[in-house]
Each structure stands twice: as C-alpha cells, then as structure tokens.
C-alpha cells in the first residue's frame, strides 16, 4: 500500500493547480454569476487538456487515469467552489468515456475530439418529471421512423444543455430512452447520444428552458422536451435494450469524481474557515482558542481526510477495473463510487454549514462567498447523480446482499 502520489501524478496536480489558480480562481464569482459564460470557460479547459481527460489520444484525450481526473477535479473545485467548473469537467470525464467504451466508431470520431477541445459538451439526460432515482422506469420513447430513431418524452434537470447550445460544435447528452415495453423495465432501455446541436447547427425536434437554480449557476440545468428528436443509428450507445447497465457505469464513474469535487470545495471552505478562526476575536481571544471551535475544526479535518481517501480509492478501483484487472468487478466500482459520493458530499455540506457559523452573520451575504459554495454542494446533497438513499441502496445491495435489499 502506498499513500503517496507517483512523481507523474504530483507533476500533473501541480500543473492543474497552477492553471486553476491563474485562470479559474480569480474569476469563479464571475462564473457563478454568469458573467463569464461556461462556453468560454470550456475553451480554456480544453486548451489546458482538462476535458475528456480519460479519453484515448485518438480522440484528443489525455489517456489520464481516473485517479488523475479526480485529482484534477479536486483542484478545480478548490479554485471554483461554486462547483460549476469542476462539474463541467467531471461530467466530461464520465459520459464521453462511456461513449468511447460503448459507442460506434463514426460517432466517437465525430464528437469526442470536439469534447476534448472544449467545443462540444456531452452530459446525461436520464431524470424525468415523474422521478430520477428509478432509471429503469424511464418513459421517454425511442421509435424507428423512416430509418432514423426519434426521441419523444420529457427530461427534467438536464445539466449543460444551454452551454452545449452555446458551444461551436454543440453536443447534448447521453439520453436514456425506452425501446422495449414498460414492463421490460431495465431490459427495455437504450442509450442514445442525443445531439441537440451538431456541427454548429441546432437539431430540430426539441424545446428547452433553464431552471432558475439556487446555486452552481455557472452551469445551468433545465427542462428538455423531446418532440421527435432525430438520432442516427451510429449514435446508439451500446446494444439495443442494453442501455441500463451502461448508464449505471456512467453514474458510478461520475460519483467518484463528484466525490473529488466535493473534497476540493470542502478543502477550500476549511482553509477559509481556518484563516477566519485564527484572526477573528471574541471576548478578547481568537475564536480558534475556544475548544468548541478548534475541536469542530479537528472533527471536520478528520472526516475530510477519510472522504478524500475514499475518493482516491474509488478512482484507483475504477482504474484497476477499466485497466482489465480481473480481481475487480463492476460492482466494486459501483460500491466505491457510492461510498465516495456519500462521504464526500455529506462532509462538504457539513463543513460549509460549520464554516458559516464561524463567520457568523457575515456568512449570510454573498460577498463572503461561503454560501455560494454551500449552494453548489447542495445540488449533490439533494440528488444530482444519485440521492443519498440511492447511494445507500447500492452499498447495501453489494454488501448485505441483493436478496435482502
Ligand atoms: C443541480 C442538479 C443537476 C442535475 N443534473 C442532472 C442531469 O444532468 N441529468 C439527469 O438526468 N439528472 C440530473 N439531475 C437530477 C438528479 O439525477 C435527480 O434529482 C436524482 O436522480 C433524484 O431524482 P428525483 O429528484 O426525481 O427524486 P426522486 O427519485 O423522486 O426521489 C425523491 C426522494 O425519494 C428517495 N427515494 C427514492 N427511491 C428510494 C428508495 N428505493 N429507497 C429509499 N428512498 C428512496 C430519494 O432518496 C429522494 O430523497 C440533476 C439534479 C440537480 C439538483
């Protein structure tokens, strides 16, 4: 067992940190307020080699490990603790990778280099108005009409659509759609690379509007109505009716890197909190000298350390599994990803709330910026890429046993 990073990984972290400190950190509030649009930020991330990091060099990727991707996302979250920038990057670590593994060559050759260059975005369109947790019950339908697939249905809370529409190539999302009967449940679901804008032209057959989000406002999320969106055969991802398992692969990977984003934001919050408690005095002493404050700091520090290790371990397991190590199964990736998200998001939210208490009344104002980070973190706390109970369901199924859960 080795708790140190390799020389290559250390150099990689230093280069991402230097980019993040120089380009992202000075402007993260502008990103949060939509004054520096994510489509422009994406171009800078692409130049820095931070998009589609885990993709093959054949598609313009960096062939990075998932551990390296997690380390990069952690640094980006430290620089943009509202989470918009790291979420863009983490989504592009998970979903284009799934397309690379299961998509058709023609689709990969066209879209993935555009993702890596920051000219296209590929997210996930799974959640529907009736719910997001039960992916096997999606109602959006894909039907074959005159040689083309057409998607009909409603997708709620899809991140990155307006950003994709503002990018030069465009993009869209990996859409989960029903190709079998409703009673086929997970056996009747197929994945489609649904391009809402392709080669600079908006595709007909959908309408979209952004929600007015409370946080993470630099990367909007919204409501997508599919009204016969055309999808060519080459954009089917995986086998017909074989989409459920592939979607779960994407969620497993995304959760690991979400853990990394949460750890990065929590580190930022704890560092700001530490500066504050050392210099802020009450009753003639720095507030750090009260044990109710310093012990809470110690508790959060310890929990963050545990969360961080769980994220690195989940990424390490993903690297082993996807590197072909037969000692690991996809369930190991799923359990580790669920553990990483569960520990890291919970720890980060609690850190934000505690740091707000240390800042006192000042934290209630946007200018202090602590609340901006809390509002970004809450997106993952309330459910994005798997609500807490769903993470527990995955962990329990893979440990207690599917027959009991
Ligand atoms: C900012 C943001 C961005 C998002 N981006 C995307 C995106 O890009 N693409 C996308 O597809 N979705 C996205 N989502 C949606 C997200 O994936 C869903 O919120 C999530 O899957 C939960 O679905 P739901 O909100 O419909 O809650 P529901 O599925 O209705 O669940 C409601 C509650 O019931 C609990 N629950 C459900 N089933 C069980 C069970 N079996 N046992 C115990 N408790 C249970 C859940 O834990 C939850 O607390 C985003 C959400 C947010 C907030």
């Amino acid at each position: 067992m080795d708790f140190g990073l390799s020389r290559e990984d250390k150099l990689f972290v230093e280069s991402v940190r230097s980019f993040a400190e120089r380009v992202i950190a000075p402007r993260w509030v502008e990103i949060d307020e939509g004054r520096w649009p994510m489509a422009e930020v994406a171009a800078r991330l692409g130049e820095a080699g931070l998009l589609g990091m885990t993709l093959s060099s054949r598609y313009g990727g960096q062939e990075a490990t998932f551990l390296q991707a997690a380390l990069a996302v952690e640094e980006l979250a430290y620089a943009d603790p509202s989470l918009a920038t790291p979420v863009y990057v983490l989504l592009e670590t998970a979903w284009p990778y799934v397309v690379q593994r299961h998509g058709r060559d023609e689709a990969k050759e066209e879209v993935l280099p555009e993702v890596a260059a920051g000219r296209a975005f590929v997210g996930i369109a799974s959640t529907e108005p009736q719910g997001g947790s039960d992916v096997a019950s999606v109602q959006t339908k894909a039907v074959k009409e005159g040689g083309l697939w057409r998607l009909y249905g409603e997708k709620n809370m899809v991140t990155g659509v307006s950003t994709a529409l503002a990018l030069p190539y465009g993009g869209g999302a990996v859409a989960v759609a029903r190709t079998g009967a409703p009673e086929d449940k997970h056996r009747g679901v197929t994945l489609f690379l649904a391009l809402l804008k392709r080669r600079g032209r908006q595709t007909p057959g959908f309408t979209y509007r952004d929600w007015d989000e409370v946080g993470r406002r630099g990367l909007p999320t919204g409501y997508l109505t599919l009204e016969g969106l055309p999808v060519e055969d080459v954009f089917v991802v995986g086998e017909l009716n074989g989409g459920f398992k592939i979607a779960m692969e994407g969620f497993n990977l995304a959760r690991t890197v979400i853990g990394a984003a949460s750890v990065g934001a929590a580190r930022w919050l704890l560092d700001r909190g530490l500066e504050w408690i050392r210099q802020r005095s009450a009753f003639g002493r720095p507030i750090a000298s009260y044990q109710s404050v310093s012990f809470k700091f110690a508790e959060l520090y310890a929990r963050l350390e545990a969360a961080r290790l769980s994220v690195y371990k989940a990424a390490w397991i993903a690297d082993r599994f996807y590197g072909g190590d037969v000692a690991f199964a996809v369930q190991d990736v799923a359990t580790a990803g669920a553990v990483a998200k569960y520990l890291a998001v919970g720890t980060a939210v609690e850190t934000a709330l505690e740091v707000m208490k240390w800042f006192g009344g000042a934290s209630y104002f946007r200018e202090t910026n602590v609340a901006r980070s809390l509002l970004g973190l809450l997106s993952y706390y309330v459910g994005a890429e798997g609500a807490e109970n769903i993470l527990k369901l995955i962990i329990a199924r893979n440990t207690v046993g599917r027959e009991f859960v």
Side-chain angles (χ1 to χ4, degrees), residues 56-241:
S56 151
S57 55
R58 182 172 170 193
Y59 305 120
Q62 305 293 317
E63 312 213 346
T65 61
F66 280 99
L67 178 60
Q68 288 171 332
L71 293 166
V73 166
E74 184 184 329
E75 291 306 321
L76 289 166
Y78 192 90
D80 174 5
S82 81
L83 291 195
T85 311
V87 170
Y88 188 103
V89 171
L90 75 88
L91 289 171
E92 299 317 87
T93 297
W95 295 105
Y97 183 77
V98 162
V99 172
Q100 174 176 277
R101 249 177 87 74
H102 300 282
R104 313 282 187 270
D105 285 346
E106 211 178 316
K108 296 194 277 193
E109 274 153 23
E110 177 178 327
V111 181
L112 298 182
E114 301 285 349
V115 167
R119 293 166 46 83
F121 174 83
V122 172
I124 169 72
S126 170
T127 306
E128 298 185 347
Q130 76 280 1
S133 301
D134 184 4
V135 179
S137 296
V138 291
Q139 293 176 11
T140 292
K141 273 193 198 146
V143 287
K144 204 74 184 272
E145 287 173 8
L148 276 178
W149 288 98
R150 294 217 176 249
L151 304 188
Y152 296 92
E154 314 276 319
K155 291 291 181 186
N156 194 10
M157 300 186 248
V158 186
T159 297
V161 172
S162 48
T163 304
L165 296 177
L167 287 168
Y169 174 95
V174 172
V176 187
R178 183 151 300 285
T179 38
E183 57 274 20
D184 295 339
K185 290 280 189 174
H186 64 281
R187 292 195 185 84
V189 160
T190 303
L191 297 190
F192 296 85
L193 178 50
L195 297 175
L196 305 171
K197 181 177 172 187
R198 184 180 177 196
R199 298 181 177 134
R201 286 224 187 115
Q202 193 164 319
T203 315
F206 76 93
T207 56
Y208 172 82
R209 67 186 152 86
D210 280 337
W211 287 119
D212 185 9
E213 284 163 289
V214 297
R216 221 178 84 178
R217 293 173 67 89
L219 180 61
T221 293
Y223 195 92
L224 176 65
T225 304
L226 298 162
E227 298 158 335
L229 185 91
V231 183
E232 291 171 20
D233 262 329
V234 291
F235 293 108
V236 174
V237 180
E239 297 304 314
L240 201 60
N241 295 324

